Amino acid sequence: MNIEARLGEIFPSEELQHFRARFGLPDLPLVAPRCEERVADLLKAAAQDGWKLVVLGGGSTFSRSPSPARADAVLSLAGLSGVTAYEPRDGTLTALAGTTMAQLEETVHAGGHHLSPEVARPEVATLGGVVASASSGFERLRFGAVRENVLGMRVALCNGSVVKSGGRLVKNVTGYDLHRLFCGSNGTLGVICEVSMRLYPLPEATRLLTSVYPRREAALAKARESFELPISPLAIAVSDLADGGGHLLEIFLAGRSEVLAWATEWLNERVGDLNTAPAESTRERRHILRDDVRAPLRFHCRPSRLEETVATIERCAEAQGQEARFLLNPALAEGTARFSNPANLEQLAVALGGTRPAATLLWTGTFPAPTPGPGRWMEKLRTALDPTGVFAS
Amino acid sequence: MHRLAQELRSILGPRGLIDDPTKLLPYESDGLAMVAVPAELVCLPRDTQEAAACLALLHREGVPVVARGAGTGLAGGATPVANGVVVSTARMRDILEVNPLDRFARVQAGVVNVDLTRAASRHGLRYAPDPSSQMACTIGGNVANNSGGPHCFKHGATTRHIQGLVIVAHDGEILDLSEPHLDPVGYDLVGLFVGSEGTFGLATEVTVKLVPTPALDEVLLAVFSTLDDACDCVSEIIASRLEPSALEILDKLTIEAVEASVFAAGYPVGAEAVLLMEVEGAGPEVEGTSRAIRKIVDRHSPLDVRSARNAEERRKLWAGRKGAFGAMGRIAPDLYVADAVVPRSRLRELIRTTIAICHERNLRLANVFHAGDGNLHPNICYDRRNEEEVARVLEAGHLILKACVEAGGALTGEHGVGLEKLEQMDLLFAPHDLDAMCRVRDVWDPERRMNPGKLVPLRACMELRTTRLEHKPEGIA
């Protein structure tokens, strides 16, 4: 019996769809279960029949992942949607994995809370997908990485059992933090069905301060001076402007109005004259920075090695006739690079790898290979949790 | 054991092994004093290489291993196991690197928490997690238990501050994950390891994140005529989405113990509860948050609310809180410290339940707890020589945990499961949840020799040489 026929036996027609080829995957049958039990049914069938499943959230970051060698069906979590519990008095949120970030933001904003991460395309990105890909947000500097805000989750394992790790409490060390393992595992260890998140107060106001410098080094030096600001900004960014227009320093502040006024004065005194962007421009730039996920190269390194890393990438790009443009987050020492000839990056990737940079490079469509020691332990974990290889990788 | 001792001594040197029964006595329990198992050998490696050689030998010999930091844990995580060996990090006390530019430090696992904070403070930085035992507890122990502390309310528990580890696996393999990465490359092995209570392996080096020392901190003390008022005040502060850096409650018995001790902080004796609060950050941020907090406090009928006037007053108010457990030695020979967590909106209700459970069993109870995190610490006074009283204490502890779990809470907020809460894991987790934990544990330690009999009850799984609680409350299988 072919896979479509078998799926037709197990699932009602409204849960069966067709996945049209994209993300490097071919046309495939797609199952969108509407409850955990249905997810479990699919996993049991996959284990029994030897299918390989690709787990898909909203697909907002899927294009960054490498294509699996083999996939027989797509498990979409779009049908597993809804808020399980929003507890405004406790500052926690629990929701099903297929709920979009936009829906969750709307829910918690009404209660005066902020849900981190603030990611690209929130109307498409799902909570489960964001957690599975460990996509941290635009405002990570203030609120931390996504894995640090996950309080617990329910995960369907390859044998169909749905297990719990952590809980809905802001503090809890009962049992192993298995949710840390699933966070960032890109659907290779289990299917995240429900996630509990820590919430933050929704800032009363935001403000964007900017300045343009002729040299990148000067913009980075000014950014470093802003690190001493006694409150944590939402983000600090240094980006290359088009056509040699210089280098833009942006500092996004959030908080009570009087704190923003004080911080603006502090920054103007210490860092130099900064322009306060109009509200419309602040929103627009926030969206632009938030949506910077399509750059072909992301990287992170130690803060002290940021300039060296940027110089190495720039040098390698130049050697191949490419011009590189960067968007840097100097406080976290991460950034993205875009290139003048995006169709021809393979040689550049090889050349950059050859320089042994003191940075982690994440090219679209690849995951960096862990060094052999940790890689072996990761493989052991994958084998322990998915011994029959149900999850495509 | 004699031959094993000789071989271990050849690896660790004469000062690296304890086998003298008198000198082994301090190792027979940790802070969970009611459970004591004689330690047979204690290894004291000086570094990762010695620890690896030691664990490789113990692997070949099939000997169970219990890792130990300072032994300040309160859940029996470092209690020895029969026929096993204790590996202590007490001689691994070097601060290997403090990097102010990249804001991290690398330390050996036996470095005492407060020593790291002191080293970082020279650069205007600090290591944020500050367990009450920070004068003695080690960073390795903090990693094992994912320890908390008052300031974890704002800064998060240990796991949020660990950027890398060097781990010695059960068979002596060294897994070097020490380079600090913004995000893990592949699965988050470091995040998974933190809080594994010595059952995955031995952390010998730790890379920690350092954060700037706040520009300003204000410590407020609110005094209440009832514990209910203090709890309700905290619940309202949380519901109002305010962000102080710490919210701690001490009840009457705790206040009396502290004020009669060397930790006397100026808490008003006679008050039913005090709420100790800290706000940190920039000037207007601190002023605004303090103002909003004071308004909430005023709605809960405080007897008094005041702000520490200077650094010395701030230090004293915190010294009282952090010395509270020690001070309680004055009121009872032994203390059973529970560690349940509850939803922060239900503090009053669960504290009342806790008091009722102890009252019904004629037990003296002192409450001092991380109210902002909903992390209760009911401290039940007892004398371990009184078996009948010990049984009542354990029964009360079990019922408190059960009530907290039924209210949506958890068994432990920062002390870990260890031996103490092993039997209660079933209250929170279904068999298949525990089975998944076992599966992951078996990856790290397929022979289950690392801290056996702790953290995960291994029902159907064959377990080697486990220890069990000597006294169990009625109704626990």
Side-chain angles (χ1 to χ4, degrees), chain A residues 29 153 172 240 380:
Chain A
M153 58 174 68
N172 180 8
D240 299 345
K380 283 203 265 186

Side-chain angles (χ1 to χ4, degrees), chain B residues 241-322:
Chain B
R241 304 180 302 281
L242 293 169
E243 284 189 306
S245 50
L247 285 170
E248 302 283 311
I249 289 179
L250 293 81
D251 73 357
K252 184 181 174 68
L253 189 54
T254 311
I255 294 168
E256 287 171 358
V258 169
E259 289 306 310
S261 76
V262 293
F263 304 109
Y267 303 148
V269 179
E272 285 296 322
V274 294
L275 170 57
L276 184 63
M277 299 165 279
E278 186 171 288
V279 184
E280 63 180 42
E285 196 179 26
V286 171
E287 284 162 26
T289 305
S290 296
R291 202 167 42 238
I293 284 177
R294 276 175 178 264
K295 278 186 188 167
I296 292 174
V297 170
D298 285 344
R299 286 201 284 274
H300 293 276
S301 316
L303 297 172
D304 185 25
V305 54
R306 62 184 164 92
S307 174
R309 284 166 300 186
N310 50 45
E312 178 55 19
E313 263 193 39
R314 286 196 293 274
R315 190 198 62 74
K316 274 184 78 175
L317 286 172
W318 273 116
R321 165 61 187 89
K322 294 198 172 179

